[in-house]
Amino acid sequence: MTGTAGGATAAAAAAELFGWWAAALLLQVLFISTLSWPELAVAAAGALLAAAAARAVRRAATARTGGRARLLTALLLFPGALLTDTARLAAATARVLRGHRVTGRFHTVRLRPGSGTAWVCGLLSATPGLYVVDLDPAGPTVLAHTLPGRPTALERALTTGGRR
């Protein structure tokens, strides 16, 4: 029995590492202007280091990776949120350059039940408009810093109850 449980744990760890690696590799490849084999090899090695670090951070924070029910929806909404928040950041930067003050805020945000805390926080933090600062290990509540403006469709899909 122990061998089966250990095998399942090792398989889950390998699947998690592969997921983080694939996501990190995809992001790195998107930022490479001309894709060549040496650059791809360096990106793959860097993504492996990022995957190991992401798993270690997730385990240290006791965050869950499960909750894949909204994962496809979140991945489809991510590009729109990225563009929206990038435009919001550019507008905020332009306002600051014109001498105006732009202030972000800290909000308590409740994640939707059944969501995987690790991937939800990672995906939300990958946009310029919201960054998860802290999470409550006892519940699905996180402290997030946000740019001024309304929540994106991605944030609305992954959270409930709005910003407090």
Side-chain angles (χ1 to χ4, degrees):
M1 286 288 182
T2 306
T4 304
T9 304
E16 181 183 354
L17 280 171
F18 178 77
W20 286 116
W21 175 81
L25 179 62
L26 177 65
L27 284 173
Q28 289 185 46
V29 166
L30 288 174
F31 292 112
I32 296 174
S33 60
T34 305
L35 191 60
S36 66
W37 286 110
E39 288 173 330
L40 186 58
V42 169
L48 185 59
L49 292 173
R55 183 167 191 277
V57 168
R58 196 241 352 127
R59 289 186 65 196
T62 64
R64 299 179 323 272
T65 57
R68 291 173 179 85
R70 280 177 287 285
L71 180 58
L72 180 59
T73 301
L75 291 175
L76 292 173
L77 292 173
F78 178 74
L82 187 61
L83 289 173
T84 300
D85 281 349
T86 301
R88 187 180 299 166
L89 180 61
T93 302
R95 284 185 50 83
V96 168
L97 291 174
R98 288 192 310 264
H100 296 94
R101 184 175 168 92
V102 176
T103 306
R105 299 203 192 295
F106 287 98
H107 298 277
T108 301
V109 179
R110 185 170 183 81
L111 304 181
R112 289 206 181 264
S115 296
T117 309
W119 69 262
V120 169
C121 291
L123 202 57
L124 288 172
S125 295
T127 65
L130 185 147
Y131 184 77
V132 175
V133 178
D134 192 20
L135 62 99
D136 183 359
T141 304
V142 299
L143 178 65
H145 184 268
T146 62
L147 284 175
R150 296 181 337 182
T152 62
L154 176 67
E155 183 181 342
R156 289 190 306 272
L158 297 177
T159 63
T160 184
R163 299 172 177 175
R164 289 177 263 128

